[in-house]
Amino acid sequence: MKKYRVNVNGTDYEITLEALKDGEDFAPKAAPAAAPAAAPAPAAAPAGATTITAPMPGNILNVNVTVGQTVKAGQTLLILEAMKMENEIQAPRDGKVASVNVQKGSTVDTNQVLVTLE
């Protein structure tokens, strides 16, 4: 086997190539299955709390609030990237952040709890 460095669209990659012997067929090996990342368990919402959920699946680009922070209605809580668009997830009402259930870089599903307001 020989190691090579290739550049694809400005990004360098290190690859390893194996030379096949004459008459030898290529038999691909099954790639190991990646373990799915466990989603954080949503915190229990206090009585009278408002939960803000993901309107669509996507990736969290930025979280703008922390637990205990006071927010105003319309304030951007986080940025959700979905279908190559950045969506501002805003507070539906004034309140205090009770929990933040995602972090920057998280992948979320539709209706997954993102933030809870007291």
Side-chain angles (χ1 to χ4, degrees), residues 19-34:
L20 297 176
K21 297 175 185 151
D22 287 337
E24 184 178 11
D25 287 335
F26 173 72
K29 297 177 184 175

Side-chain angles (χ1 to χ4, degrees), residues 4-15:
Y4 294 92
R5 184 177 307 135
V6 295
N7 184 295
V8 179
N9 295 331
T11 303
D12 286 332
Y13 297 93
E14 186 176 295
I15 62 170

Side-chain angles (χ1 to χ4, degrees), residues 11-108:
T11 303
D12 286 332
Y13 297 93
E14 186 176 295
I15 62 170
T16 304
L17 298 177
E18 178 181 356
L20 297 176
K21 297 175 185 151
D22 287 337
E24 184 178 11
D25 287 335
F26 173 72
K29 297 177 184 175
T50 301
T51 56
I52 294 92
T53 59
M56 63 193 85
N59 298 312
I60 303 300
L61 293 183
N62 201 16
V63 178
N64 299 337
V65 294
T66 57
V67 174
Q69 181 177 343
T70 301
V71 295
K72 297 281 186 193
Q75 181 176 338
T76 300
L77 304 174
L78 49 90
I79 305 292
L80 172 68
E81 179 190 38
M83 298 181 289
K84 303 290 183 188
M85 293 186 63
E86 293 183 10
N87 301 282
E88 292 183 352
I89 306 301
Q90 299 177 341
R93 63 172 179 83
D94 292 355
K96 184 177 177 183
V97 178
S99 70
V100 178
N101 298 65
V102 294
Q103 60 187 4
K104 184 177 179 176
S106 297
T107 300
V108 298

